[in-house]
Amino acid sequence: MKWCKIVCGGDVVFIRSLKVKIPAIIIILALISILLTAFVSYDLFTKKIRQQIIDKNETISNTTSDQVSQYLSDAKGVIEYLARNINVKDMDKVKREIDKAYIGYHWIDVVFFMSPEGKIVYSKPHNDIIYERSYLDRDYYNYVMKEKSSYISKVFVGSIVKQPHIMIAVPIIDPITNEVEGIIGGGVPLRAIKKIVNKAYEIYDGDIYVIDTNTKALVSPHDNVYEKMYLKRNVNIDGKTMDLKELAQTYERGTGDYKKDFSNVYISFNKIKNYDGMIIVEKDEKSILDEINVIKSKFLSYLLIILSLILILSISLANSIVRPIKDLVNYTRKISDNIDKDVLNTKDIKLNNNSEIRELEISFRNMAIELYKKIVAFKLMHKREKNLRKYLDNILKSAGSGVIVINYHGKVAIFNKAAQNITGIKSKEIVNKSSDQLLKLLGLSEGMISLKNKKSIEGEFVINNIQNKEIPVDIVISPVLDEDKEIVSIVCILRDLTRIKLLEKELKIKDRLETMGQLSSAIIHEIGNPLAGMTNLLEVLKDNIEEENVREDIISALNDEVDVLNNMVINFLDFTRLSKTERVDANVYHIINSALSILNSQIKYKMIRIIEEISPNIPTIRIDPMGMRQVIVNILKNSIQAVGEYGIIHVKVGPTENNHVEIRIRDNGNGIKKEMIDKIFNPLFTTKEEGNGLGLYVVHNIVIENGGSITVNSEEGKYTEFVLNFKGE
Ligand SMILES: Nc1ncnc2c1ncn2[C@@H]1O[C@H](COP(=O)(O)OP(=O)(O)O)[C@@H](O)[C@H]1O
Ligand SMILES: [Mg+2]
């Protein structure tokens, strides 16, 4: 089904269309070129035919007029010869000559002799009526009598032969008197002229007319027109239009045209020499068009034949192009069918015989193999990635720490389970919200998470959870940078410190109770002395109650002892009291003294020398005094434990640069082994049999809580020095 879709949408349609396209393009091209040629040649052809017609018209009219005029002049020559050989005195001879001529020249339809009075004397053939008539009205009689020269008459129907003919009249002139003695006439029948014209029709298919100067048609292609038809034409010639009469007066010969039924008629004319007549030759353009139409239909059938030939040829050409492509498509289809199964086994598929196609097929197969390998690799990669993702998701989900990821747009992208547990905010409520919104919800300062800040932020903070409860957290905010050191995201790790804080608190209390236990025996011992003194003083007072001086002295001594006791108890209680941590501006001097007095009995017991070096102008520091005293007590306690009898403990307090206060507590005890120095602040780390390893852990926590720092320097067997540093106010 899948294949069908691809095939229907693509390849097959492509092949199909190519099959149509190639022949279509070839046919269109052929058609265009044929039609273009046809158009051009049609134009040339019609022009040429037109010219041919005009030329032929001219030739026909020239030759016909020449032939007619030659014919008439020959005829005239014959009649003149006859006239020269006639002697009017010898009538018999005249008759004989006339008979001879009539028989000898078959084209003469009548020969006669006419007297100067216009009477026919003898005629061959004869007709009785002619002898009674006089022919004074005949144009040839009048011309010959007047001009005394030969004359070729107009056409008229002769009274002897009753046929239209031209009369050639020649005078017989007396050489002495120069008088006309008679006229010899010879009739040339119109038939003869017609015969000449008919001869022209053998090579010409237009119309030929012979007209006289009155435009009367003597010979016409239409039969029996004589005496009925005057030819009327309005001929365009040399840019003018004139009728045939004007034409005959203006030109000897020429060519023009006139309109007839919306088509052009080409006309040529030629005056006949020695005769008042004209040959008109004309041809209608319609006949050309008819001719062209014949050619056109022939052309169309040729075109049809050519086009079908081209169609067959181009289809086979298209086939020869398309078939290999089809083969290629089939081949590629087979390969593609196997691409996710076993493309390597497609070697068996037969390759095409055509070398180019074979090459294409091979390269396609190679490509498919490459593709297959890529697909396999990609699938593997995808699987690995999926697993990795799952793994990461699991880590994120099960991570004890809250993981919050802020994306490139400053929006929350990941808010894992632990983060939800710590903050009480649901993932779906915060994901895609801005980091500022998150900070606001948590009650953290704005701008803590910023895409502009490339440095990590690390520290303990207090956030408000959704129930508005304060939660101590450890936050690490680190930007994720790309290769160009641009921030792509920010990862925030959130660790809930509630339990740790509780633990710390517990440890602090435990440490304190422990110290209290240790201190109490010393205190009891300490109380012993003042109490014994007081008992003695009271004894003395009992004895001397009367003596005022003694009494006052004793009471004052008693007061001193009570003060000592009081101070001791207050200090002790102070230390044991679980006060709330509260930072105030405090004087380090007092805190150190308070700590020393708590440990006083132990110091005394071991005969330890305390060397105090406290600078008078140290700035106050903002700390929790109770916690701070615990710090000093714990450090001093370790020192007391570290030194032997007569040990020395240096307590040095002084300002440092930047208005800081530095407290150094140094003892000349056993020192700390090098390999242990990193561990001493760890909880439960102790090297002592009776130790619990909480002292320095508590110290460290309190110092950090109060914004200070603590470091240790020591050399085994020589000394140990703790250096505390706090920012002064
Ligand atoms: N002044 C000191 N001299 C030598 N060792 C010390 C000194 N202070 C601390 N230490 C070492 O650090 C350890 C941890 O001290 P601390 O946390 O107070 O626990 P504890 O005192 O219960 O052992 C001690 O066990 C000891 O080994
Ligand atoms: Mg200790």
Side-chain angles (χ1 to χ4, degrees):
M1 268 331 265
K2 212 172 163 193
W3 246 114
C4 172
K5 220 172 162 188
I6 294 166
V7 167
C8 299
D11 304 38
V12 166
V13 169
F14 161 70
I15 290 167
R16 225 179 257 157
S17 71
L18 208 61
K19 254 183 181 170
V20 176
K21 253 186 208 164
I22 293 170
I25 288 169
I26 292 173
I27 285 184
I28 287 167
L29 283 177
L31 213 64
I32 289 171
S33 51
I34 288 170
L35 289 179
L36 214 68
T37 329
F39 179 77
V40 173
S41 43
Y42 175 81
D43 197 52
L44 287 173
F45 184 70
T46 45
K47 259 186 204 151
K48 196 171 173 187
I49 284 189
R50 219 163 260 158
Q51 196 52 50
Q52 261 179 12
I53 287 168
I54 291 166
D55 288 350
K56 195 147 192 185
N57 275 356
E58 267 181 346
T59 317
I60 296 295
S61 85
N62 275 342
T63 48
T64 313
S65 95
D66 281 353
Q67 278 166 7
V68 171
S69 110
Q70 188 61 47
Y71 187 86
L72 289 176
S73 108
D74 284 353
K76 197 176 102 189
V78 168
I79 304 301
E80 277 173 348
Y81 177 77
L82 183 68
R84 269 202 301 279
N85 289 325
I86 273 175
N87 184 356
V88 290
K89 311 273 166 15
D90 187 356
M91 250 339 266
D92 282 342
K93 201 179 173 203
V94 168
K95 283 177 185 173
R96 268 201 317 275
E97 286 297 324
I98 285 174
D99 286 349
K100 214 163 96 190
Y102 180 73
I103 292 157
Y105 300 101
H106 60 87
W107 43 267
I108 294 178
D109 67 347
V110 65
V111 192
F112 60 80
F113 174 74
M114 185 178 271
S115 68
E117 290 78 36
K119 290 240 174 196
I120 288 178
V121 181
Y122 181 73
S123 153
K124 186 79 184 182
H126 32 197
N127 188 333
D128 288 342
I129 50 162
I130 58 169
Y131 302 112
E132 288 140 32
R133 276 198 64 173
S134 110
Y135 290 89
L136 296 172
D137 58 335
R138 290 289 197 252
D139 58 341
Y140 58 84
Y141 170 80
N142 288 313
Y143 183 91
V144 170
M145 288 307 288
K146 199 174 160 213
E147 303 292 331
K148 296 180 183 158
S149 65
S150 307
Y151 181 75
I152 300 172
S153 80
K154 286 192 173 112
V155 174
F156 62 91
V157 180
S159 47
I160 304 164
V161 286
K162 308 280 185 214
Q163 284 292 326
H165 61 188
I166 294 164
M167 190 52 69
I168 298 168
V170 179
I172 302 166
I173 295 170
D174 184 345
I176 298 144
T177 59
N178 202 27
E179 287 293 314
V180 176
E181 292 180 305
I183 297 165
I184 295 291
V188 178
L190 206 55
R191 262 185 291 118
I193 306 294
K194 227 173 189 165
K195 222 170 163 181
I196 294 166
V197 169
N198 280 344
K199 203 136 192 121
Y201 277 129
E202 285 172 13
I203 52 158
Y204 184 66
D205 60 352
D207 291 342
I208 305 170
Y209 296 90
V210 183
I211 57 168
D212 66 15
T213 39
N214 282 328
T215 75
K216 190 174 183 180
L218 308 182
V219 177
S220 145
H222 317 286
D223 269 345
N224 306 322
V225 290
Y226 177 67
E227 286 190 338
K228 284 180 209 146
M229 197 180 104
Y230 284 85
L231 206 59
K232 281 200 180 92
R233 303 281 186 260
N234 283 319
V235 182
N236 297 315
I237 179 163
D238 296 341
K240 287 170 274 175
T241 307
M242 47 181 75
D243 62 20
L244 290 175
K245 240 183 200 161
E246 276 179 281
L247 203 71
Q249 280 160 15
T250 320
Y251 298 99
E252 279 298 311
R253 62 165 70 88
T255 298
D257 58 65
Y258 68 92
K259 276 251 172 316
K260 184 181 151 194
D261 302 337
F262 304 110
S263 78
N264 272 329
V265 182
Y266 297 98
I267 184 162
S268 279
F269 57 90
N270 234 310
K271 271 196 190 164
I272 303 164
K273 256 181 252 147
N274 303 322
Y275 183 70
D276 268 352
M278 244 196 317
I279 300 290
I280 303 277
V281 172
E282 62 177 30
K283 190 160 178 177
D284 198 332
E285 197 183 37
K286 235 191 223 157
S287 61
I288 313 170
L289 295 178
D290 288 347
E291 259 174 71
I292 286 168
N293 278 339
V294 170
I295 291 166
K296 247 194 218 164
S297 61
K298 263 185 196 166
F299 172 79
L300 270 176
S301 50
Y302 283 135
L303 185 69
L304 253 155
I305 291 166
I306 290 168
L307 284 182
S308 41
L309 272 173
I310 289 172
L311 189 74
I312 292 163
L313 272 173
S314 54
I315 284 172
S316 71
L317 178 72
N319 250 335
S320 72
I321 294 170
V322 167
R323 197 178 300 125
I325 295 174
K326 213 170 166 183
D327 287 348
L328 180 66
V329 169
N330 279 336
Y331 182 84
T332 55
R333 194 181 299 165
K334 278 180 199 159
I335 298 278
S336 312
D337 279 346
N338 283 313
I339 199 145
D340 38 353
K341 286 177 235 150
D342 203 357
V343 77
L344 299 169
N345 282 345
T346 50
K347 243 184 196 150
D348 308 335
I349 301 173
K350 208 173 155 265
L351 290 166
N352 203 288
N353 294 331
N354 181 309
S355 66
E356 283 98 347
I357 298 296
R358 183 202 296 265
E359 234 165 77
L360 277 175
E361 285 177 350
I362 290 171
S363 56
F364 181 80
R365 187 172 164 270
N366 289 341
M367 193 188 76
I369 289 172
E370 284 307 307
L371 194 68
Y372 172 71
K373 285 182 189 160
K374 291 260 156 68
I375 289 171
V376 169
F378 180 75
K379 273 184 182 164
L380 209 72
M381 208 171 77
H382 183 67
K383 205 171 160 188
R384 262 192 225 139
E385 188 131 314
K386 225 165 121 186
N387 286 342
L388 191 71
R389 231 202 132 76
K390 236 185 198 165
Y391 179 66
L392 279 175
D393 276 353
N394 279 339
I395 289 177
L396 277 182
K397 260 185 213 152
S398 55
S401 301
V403 179
I404 302 168
V405 177
I406 309 296
N407 68 14
Y408 180 75
H409 305 288
K411 299 266 163 69
V412 176
I414 295 175
F415 200 79
N416 80 338
K417 190 106 190 144
Q420 296 177 51
N421 291 340
I422 295 166
T423 59
I425 301 169
K426 290 259 154 13
S427 164
K428 59 179 177 211
E429 285 163 6
I430 196 69
V431 164
N432 278 332
K433 299 273 160 60
S434 75
S435 58
D436 283 345
Q437 260 170 294
L438 176 67
L439 290 171
K440 207 170 172 187
L441 266 174
L442 298 177
L444 289 167
S445 58
E446 212 178 294
M448 209 164 116
I449 299 173
S450 159
L451 284 164
K452 284 177 196 124
N453 191 5
K454 286 186 185 171
K455 283 204 184 120
S456 312
I457 296 172
E458 206 173 333
E460 283 180 18
F461 296 87
V462 176
I463 60 161
N464 294 324
N465 76 356
I466 206 85
Q467 278 99 26
N468 221 13
K469 203 178 125 194
E470 289 191 345
I471 311 271
V473 288
D474 182 58
I475 300 179
V476 180
I477 299 171
S478 29
V480 180
L481 305 179
D482 66 5
E483 292 155 355
D484 303 328
K485 302 263 182 287
E486 293 296 324
I487 297 179
V488 284
S489 66
I490 298 170
V491 176
C492 309
I493 309 287
L494 212 65
R495 205 153 55 92
D496 189 349
L497 298 179
T498 314
R499 271 176 63 82
I500 292 168
K501 290 283 159 189
L502 272 173
L503 216 67
E504 268 174 19
K505 218 172 182 178
E506 274 169 29
L507 288 175
K508 231 188 265 176
I509 295 163
K510 204 176 165 198
D511 173 62
R512 217 177 279 227
L513 290 174
E514 200 115 352
T515 312
M516 265 163 59
Q518 286 161 7
L519 288 175
S520 34
S521 61
I523 282 169
I524 288 160
H525 176 77
E526 200 83 339
I527 290 170
N529 290 339
L531 276 181
M534 280 170 82
T535 318
N536 288 336
L537 284 171
L538 284 170
E539 254 349 283
V540 176
L541 186 64
K542 204 167 78 184
D543 295 343
N544 300 294
I545 197 93
E546 261 46 344
E547 286 185 46
E548 196 160 330
N549 286 351
V550 179
R551 206 176 59 214
E552 264 175 32
D553 282 349
I554 290 170
I555 286 172
S556 130
L558 266 173
N559 264 338
D560 286 351
E561 292 297 336
V562 169
D563 270 355
V564 171
L565 273 175
N566 209 23
N567 268 339
M568 211 182 286
V569 172
I570 285 170
N571 253 335
F572 186 69
L573 289 178
D574 247 14
F575 187 71
T576 54
R577 193 171 62 221
L578 286 172
S579 54
K580 226 181 161 191
T581 52
E582 207 174 344
R583 287 171 76 175
V584 293
D585 288 346
N587 192 320
V588 184
Y589 177 78
H590 293 303
I591 292 168
I592 288 176
N593 276 340
S594 166
L596 279 169
S597 69
I598 286 169
L599 297 165
N600 195 27
S601 56
Q602 290 182 19
I603 293 165
K604 272 188 186 154
Y605 183 76
K606 269 184 120 174
M607 287 159 293
I608 292 164
R609 223 172 104 204
I610 303 284
I611 303 169
E612 277 185 83
E613 258 183 81
I614 297 174
S615 168
N617 45 3
I618 39 170
T620 55
I621 51 176
R622 197 165 178 79
I623 46 164
D624 157 34
M626 296 306 162
M628 197 56 201
R629 188 172 59 190
Q630 197 174 351
V631 167
I632 306 293
V633 166
N634 285 6
I635 294 171
L636 283 172
K637 233 170 70 188
N638 283 343
S639 291
I640 292 165
Q641 286 164 351
V643 297
E645 285 185 348
Y646 306 104
I648 300 166
I649 298 171
H650 255 97
V651 179
K652 197 174 164 188
V653 183
T656 62
E657 62 225 57
N658 312 330
N659 198 32
H660 278 230
V661 175
E662 191 181 68
I663 305 163
R664 285 175 184 267
I665 300 173
R666 184 186 167 114
D667 64 67
N668 60 348
N670 54 0
I672 305 167
K673 286 192 173 124
K674 234 186 193 153
E675 63 267 26
M676 287 177 182
I677 210 147
D678 287 337
K679 295 178 186 158
I680 57 166
F681 292 106
N682 288 351
L684 308 175
F685 176 80
T686 179
T687 55
K688 297 166 194 167
E689 253 173 52
E690 303 276 292
N692 58 20
L694 291 175
L696 288 182
Y697 175 68
V698 170
V699 165
H700 185 260
N701 279 346
I702 296 173
V703 170
I704 300 299
E705 267 172 22
N706 284 283
S709 70
I710 180 165
T711 53
V712 61
N713 311 309
S714 180
E715 208 174 307
E716 207 190 343
K718 282 192 176 162
Y719 76 97
T720 303
E721 182 185 45
F722 287 87
V723 184
L724 302 158
N725 196 303
F726 293 90
K727 194 173 161 276
E729 279 306 297

